[in-house]
Amino acid sequence: DSGVTQTPKHLITATGQRVTLRCSPRSGDLSVYWYQQSLDQGLQFLIQYYNGEERAKGNILERFSAQQFPDLHSELNLSSLELGDSALYFCASSVTGGGDEQFFGPGTRLTVL
Amino acid sequence: DQQVKQNSPSLSVQEGRISILNCDYTNSMFDYFLWYKKYPAEGPTFLISISSIKDKNEDGRFTVFLNKSAKHLSLHIVPSQPGDSAVYFCAARWISSGSARQLTFGSGTQLTVLP
C-alpha cells in the first residue's frame, strides 16, 4: 500500500459525458501527478500540482482539467468523453515534486462506451 | 514521439536464471533513469534508479546498467523468482521547468518467471 488513494476504482460512462476522478496523496506529500495509461502504452504524464498550484503540464487535452485543493487532494475532470479516453488513470504523489520519488495510487479504470 | 522505448512487450524466464529487461531512449537531457514494477490492480512501485553520470547501480538481486553512448539501459534480476512476475516500466527523468521534474515512461515489459 503506497498510501495514495484513488476513487473510484472503476468507472463506466458514455461518450459525451463528464467524470471526476479523485486522488488523496500520501500524508505529508505536497505534489500530485496525474498519468494516463492506454492499452499497450506507457504512462503518459498529464499534469502536476504542487501545494495547490499547477507546476508542470504534459500531454493533457483541453477537455481535461485538474486542480489541487487546500487539503492537498486532487481531482481530474474529463469532459466530452470519447471512446479513446478509455484508459487507466493513475495519480502519484511526492514530497517536493522536484524529482523525488513518486508513489502511485492503484489507478482508476475508465471505460467509455 | 516516444522518447523511451521498451521493445519487448514480454519476457519469460526460468526461476533461478537471469532476467534482462531492456530500454532505449533518444533524449540526451535525461538526468535520471528509473525502473518501476507493477502488479495487476496496483499502481507502479519504484524499484531502482541510476543517475546519468553512473554506469551501474546495484541493489540486492537488481542491477541497472546504463550505456550512455548507446542510449540504452538494462535491468538485470539475478536470480529470478516467481514473485518477480510483473510488468516492468523503464522511466527517464528530465527538467520540465524551474525545479519541476517529469518522468517519461516506456510501454512496459511483462516478465513471467516460470517455476
Side-chain angles (χ1 to χ4, degrees), chain A:
Chain A
D1 185 356
S2 66
V4 178
T5 60
Q6 289 186 248
T7 57
K9 283 191 177 167
H10 302 277
L11 198 47
I12 300 174
T13 188
T15 54
Q17 295 297 304
R18 172 189 166 98
V19 297
T20 298
L21 312 184
R22 183 187 168 105
C23 168
S24 292
R26 290 187 324 155
S27 177
D29 285 359
L30 298 177
S31 195
V32 168
Y33 311 75
W34 286 97
Y35 293 87
Q36 177 194 56
Q37 185 187 14
S38 301
L39 193 64
D40 295 332
Q41 298 289 314
L43 285 78
Q44 301 290 321
F45 170 71
L46 296 178
I47 197 163
Q48 177 195 2
Y49 279 83
Y50 175 78
N51 205 20
E53 300 284 329
E54 183 184 303
R55 175 169 271 192
K57 220 167 186 175
N59 299 322
I60 187 166
L61 299 172
E62 284 191 16
R63 300 183 286 108
F64 296 0
S65 65
Q67 54 184 327
Q68 186 179 27
F69 295 86
D71 67 353
L72 301 177
H73 91 271
S74 178
E75 292 181 357
L76 178 67
N77 300 296
L78 315 176
S79 62
S80 303
L81 284 168
E82 302 174 359
L83 296 177
D85 297 328
S86 296
L88 262 172
Y89 291 84
F90 288 103
C91 166
S93 72
S94 71
V95 177
T96 70
D100 51 331
E101 183 178 345
Q102 296 181 28
F103 294 84
F104 284 79
T108 292
R109 181 170 291 282
L110 173 66
T111 302
V112 182
L113 301 175

